């Protein structure tokens, strides 16, 4: 276990804590939308801003921790600066707390998704800069395999993470320019920068868990990098349709949105084709949960984000559904369904590297994942139904927005019900993590040391060796029984001859 990997534990733990908190806040916001007269100490606008920003920051914290863990694993050495890893964590944790706290108190710039005050945005940019600097210095160190696709993907993603965040630091007088700059962060961060980083992290994880063939996976990564770069930047055009840009963005946004399902399909296909583990049941409890979460991420990536996103990006359809609850359904599937499940998977794998997951906790994890999927699908269906009726009542037959909201209110109950199921799953999974990790909490926040005397992978390997020995012992026992029977037959035959 490298020290760099040990330092990433606290990133993964904080990501899970914020993930559990998000479920509670989101459910409260869904109820307030249905019952706006319920007294609340926090305004709906502040609660929505909190929800949007926490949904960006906890995946960011989780993916940065995952990069530190898997980059050092793939580079086969410590990161260039261990001190910078710790400084980056506290800067990012403090920035996140101040951003969320200030939004709850109403301190906002008023730009959707980018509501944080300028000093806090600068602090976020500094965190991504630290990540990029540390990765590049490590990548350039002697002995690092520089042609390794996992490393290249993570470095490329960290560079673009800074480049496309910088436009957020400036305000723009013209609303069209401001909208374009906003989607460089909201969309390109998610669908290019985080996807580049996520591809490298996911590939490194699958190489370890599924024992996939490195050559095939790396070929898939290089193809993914090309597709992600094209689709991630140019597919942003489907956000530009109605904000005052030239009409050619209608074609660009529509065409390149169709490519966004390909990277996930290619990587998963290459992994399944070359995977060396025999069956799902042969995996350890930790690896079963990890693979299940990755499977959930892949499902929503293909169906919830890419296919639904492509359908929404078709201009004649987008003309009617733009800005409705259908967009909200897509954003839930895309942001949590894709990156949420992926980051939960890698953070779960990290946290249980040196801690054994008990059988009872494993069952709780299965229940939590079931609740997360049931809640997310219920929310998505409710939002799709509400959005479809919203399009018809508001934009087809011309009812007022207040009349439309009254007619679609029952379907928002479905959304809130799904949110409650989702929140139950998120709190249960967070409980499992905190309950299992809490006895080792001091060791996690130390800059050096281990939280276990032996790695979880080593324990699993010992268990497999023990099972093989037991199997061999049973085979030897059966062989001895056969030998005894043959010797008895031989003795009987000798007696008969005599």
């Amino acid at each position: 276990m490298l020290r760099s990997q040990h330092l990433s534990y606290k990133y993964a733990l904080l990501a899970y804590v914020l993930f559990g908190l998000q479920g509670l806040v989101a459910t409260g916001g869904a109820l307030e939308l249905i019952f706006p007269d319920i007294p609340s100490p926090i305004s709906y606008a502040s609660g929505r801003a909190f929800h949007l920003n926490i949904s960006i920051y906890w995946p960011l914290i989780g993916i940065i921790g995952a990069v530190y863990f898997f980059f050092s694993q793939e580079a086969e050495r410590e990161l260039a600066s261990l001190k910078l890893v710790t400084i980056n964590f506290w800067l990012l944790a403090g920035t996140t707390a101040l951003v969320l706290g200030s939004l709850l108190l109403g301190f906002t710039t008023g730009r959707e998704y980018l509501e944080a005050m300028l000093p806090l945005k600068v602090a976020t940019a500094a965190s991504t800069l630290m990540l990029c600097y540390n990765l590049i210095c490590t990548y350039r160190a002697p002995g690092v395999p520089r042609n390794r696709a996992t490393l290249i993907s993570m470095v490329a993603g960290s560079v673009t993470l800074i480049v496309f965040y910088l436009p957020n630091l400036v305000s723009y007088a013209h609303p069209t320019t401001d909208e374009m700059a906003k989607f460089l962060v909201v969309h390109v961060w998610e669908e290019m920068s985080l996807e580049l980083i996520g591809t490298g992290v996911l590939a490194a994880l699958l190489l370890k868990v599924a024992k996939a063939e490195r050559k095939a996976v790396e070929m898939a990564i290089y193809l993914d990098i090309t597709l992600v770069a094209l689709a991630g930047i140019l597919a942003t055009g489907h956000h530009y349709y109605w904000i005052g840009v030239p009409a050619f963005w209608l074609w660009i946004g529509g065409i390149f949105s169709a490519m966004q399902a390909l990277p996930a399909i290619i990587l998963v296909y290459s992994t399944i084709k070359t995977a060396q583990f025999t069956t799902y049941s042969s995996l350890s409890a930790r690896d079963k949960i990890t693979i299940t979460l990755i499977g959930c991420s892949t499902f929503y990536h293909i169906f919830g984000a890419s296919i639904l996103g492509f359908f929404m990006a078709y201009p004649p359809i987008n003309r009617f559904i733009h800005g409705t609850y259908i967009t909200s359904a897509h954003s839930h599937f895309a942001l949590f369904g894709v990156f949420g499940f992926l980051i939960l998977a890698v953070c779960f794998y990290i946290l249980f590297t040196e801690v054994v997951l008990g059988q009872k906790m494993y069952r709780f994890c299965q229940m939590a994942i079931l609740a997360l999927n049931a809640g997310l699908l219920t929310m998505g269906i409710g939002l799709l139904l509400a959005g479809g009726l919203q399009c018809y009542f508001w934009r087809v037959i011309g009812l007022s927005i207040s009349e439309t909201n009254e007619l679609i209110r029952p379907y928002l109950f479905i959304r809130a019900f799904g949110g409650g199921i989702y929140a139950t799953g998120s709190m249960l999974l967070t409980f499992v993590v905190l309950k299992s990790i809490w006895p080792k909490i001091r060791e996690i926040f130390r800059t050096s040391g281990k939280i276990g005397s032996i790695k979880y992978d080593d324990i699993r390997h010992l268990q497999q060796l023990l099972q093989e020995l037991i199997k061999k012992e049973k085979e030897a026992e059966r062989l001895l029984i056969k030998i005894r029977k043959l010797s008895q037959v031989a003795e009987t035959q000798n007696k008969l001859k005599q």
Side-chain angles (χ1 to χ4, degrees):
M1 171 62 63
L2 298 171
R3 287 180 63 196
S4 303
Q5 293 178 302
H6 175 82
L7 293 175
S8 68
Y9 288 176
K10 48 183 170 283
Y11 286 87
L13 184 60
L14 179 59
Y16 261 99
V17 171
L18 293 176
F19 158 68
L21 177 62
Q22 183 196 21
L24 287 174
V25 173
T27 303
L31 290 172
E32 188 175 356
L33 187 65
I34 302 171
F35 306 106
D37 296 329
I38 294 178
S40 173
I42 301 168
S43 68
Y44 177 78
S46 296
R48 184 175 185 273
F50 181 95
H51 173 58
L52 292 177
N53 280 266
I54 197 174
S55 68
I56 293 173
Y57 274 97
W58 81 257
L60 178 64
I61 292 168
I63 202 69
I64 289 178
V67 169
Y68 285 138
F69 186 93
F70 289 103
F71 196 90
S72 56
Q73 172 185 294
E74 289 294 291
E76 300 173 1
R77 56 158 291 154
E78 297 285 4
L79 293 168
S81 174
L82 299 179
K83 186 176 290 186
L84 204 59
V85 176
T86 301
I87 294 172
N88 196 0
F89 170 78
W90 291 112
L91 175 62
L92 196 54
T95 301
T96 303
L98 289 172
V99 167
L100 299 178
S102 62
L103 292 176
L104 287 177
L105 295 174
F107 295 99
T108 172
T109 61
R111 299 170 70 196
E112 189 181 32
Y113 291 99
L114 310 174
E115 294 96 340
M117 294 180 291
L118 180 60
L120 299 177
K121 293 178 183 177
V122 172
T124 303
S127 296
T128 60
L129 185 61
M130 287 182 187
L131 170 70
C132 183
Y133 174 79
N134 216 345
L135 296 190
I136 291 174
C137 289
T138 307
Y139 182 73
R140 295 180 60 194
V144 173
R146 292 178 187 169
N147 61 343
R148 189 161 283 182
T150 49
L151 299 178
I152 294 171
S153 184
M154 284 186 263
V155 169
S158 68
V159 172
T160 60
L161 206 62
I162 302 169
V163 172
F164 290 106
Y165 188 79
L166 291 178
N168 178 34
L169 302 180
V170 182
S171 296
Y172 305 90
H174 198 288
T176 298
T177 308
D178 192 69
E179 283 291 299
M180 292 185 73
K182 179 181 79 173
F183 285 113
L184 284 177
V185 179
V186 175
H187 184 98
V188 181
W189 244 38
E190 175 195 348
E191 302 209 16
M192 195 188 78
S193 300
L194 289 179
E195 194 155 342
L196 282 172
I197 294 174
T199 297
V201 167
L202 177 58
L205 176 60
L206 292 174
L207 287 168
K208 192 76 173 176
V209 176
K211 304 294 189 295
E213 184 181 324
R214 180 175 289 276
K215 185 178 179 180
V217 170
E218 291 196 339
M219 287 179 63
I221 291 174
Y222 284 124
L223 184 56
D224 283 359
I225 289 173
T226 305
L227 293 172
V228 166
L230 285 172
I233 296 174
L234 296 175
T236 312
H238 65 242
H239 288 290
Y240 295 166
Y241 291 168
W242 322 118
I243 64 172
V245 298
F248 62 77
W249 281 107
L250 296 173
W251 288 96
I252 293 174
I255 292 170
F256 285 94
S257 293
M259 296 173 55
Q260 293 182 297
L262 295 177
I265 294 172
I266 291 169
L267 182 58
V268 170
Y269 172 77
S270 301
T271 302
I272 293 173
K273 188 177 178 181
T274 62
Q276 294 179 17
F277 71 86
T278 53
T279 60
Y280 179 81
S281 60
S282 67
L283 296 172
S284 65
R286 177 200 62 173
D287 292 349
K288 285 179 182 177
I289 296 300
T290 302
I291 291 294
T292 302
L293 290 168
I294 290 172
C296 295
S297 173
T298 304
F299 171 81
Y300 290 107
H301 196 149
I302 295 170
F303 295 100
S306 300
I307 294 177
L308 178 59
F310 173 64
F311 171 78
M312 292 171 57
Y314 185 54
I317 295 175
N318 191 272
R319 176 185 176 187
F320 292 94
I321 67 175
H322 183 78
T324 66
Y325 283 113
I326 293 176
T327 305
S328 181
H330 170 65
S331 64
H332 280 78
F333 287 144
L335 188 56
F336 177 75
V338 177
F339 288 104
F341 274 118
L342 174 60
I343 289 157
L344 291 178
V346 294
C347 289
F348 193 90
Y349 180 88
I350 289 168
L351 288 170
F352 288 93
T353 298
E354 296 180 276
V355 174
V356 178
L357 181 65
Q359 192 62 31
K360 182 179 178 181
M361 292 301 176
Y362 169 66
R363 288 194 294 270
F364 283 160
C365 286
Q366 291 178 313
M367 293 166 58
I369 294 172
L370 181 63
L372 286 172
N373 281 281
L376 186 59
L377 289 171
T378 304
M379 276 194 291
I381 291 169
L383 288 167
L384 287 172
L385 292 172
L389 292 172
Q390 191 179 22
C391 292
Y392 178 72
F393 292 141
W394 183 23
R395 292 179 174 171
V396 176
I397 65 176
L399 296 181
S400 68
I401 187 65
S402 58
E403 291 173 319
T404 300
N405 287 341
E406 285 299 321
L407 290 170
I408 66 174
R409 191 181 297 273
Y411 300 95
L412 296 180
F413 276 102
I414 298 175
R415 181 260 186 101
F417 178 69
I421 299 173
Y422 167 87
T424 303
S426 68
M427 288 187 291
L428 181 57
L429 190 56
T430 303
F431 165 77
V432 169
V433 170
L434 291 176
K435 176 72 173 177
S436 304
I437 298 298
W438 189 256
K440 307 291 184 181
I441 195 72
R442 290 184 179 179
E443 287 80 0
I444 285 176
F445 283 91
R446 287 176 182 168
T447 56
S448 62
K450 296 182 177 182
I451 65 172
S453 58
I454 186 169
K455 285 171 41 176
Y456 190 75
D457 287 336
D458 295 334
I459 294 173
R460 181 63 181 169
H461 184 58
L462 287 173
Q463 289 174 340
Q464 290 173 344
L465 289 175
L466 183 60
Q467 289 173 357
E468 289 179 9
L469 285 172
I470 293 171
K471 185 178 178 181
K472 294 291 183 184
E473 183 182 2
K474 290 180 178 178
E475 290 176 358
E477 187 177 352
R478 286 195 293 268
L479 185 61
L480 286 172
I481 292 170
K482 287 181 180 179
I483 292 171
R484 289 195 191 100
K485 287 181 178 178
L486 288 172
S487 64
Q488 289 173 357
V489 170
E491 287 179 6
T492 304
Q493 289 176 346
N494 288 334
K495 289 180 180 178
L496 291 171
K497 287 178 181 180
Q498 291 174 0

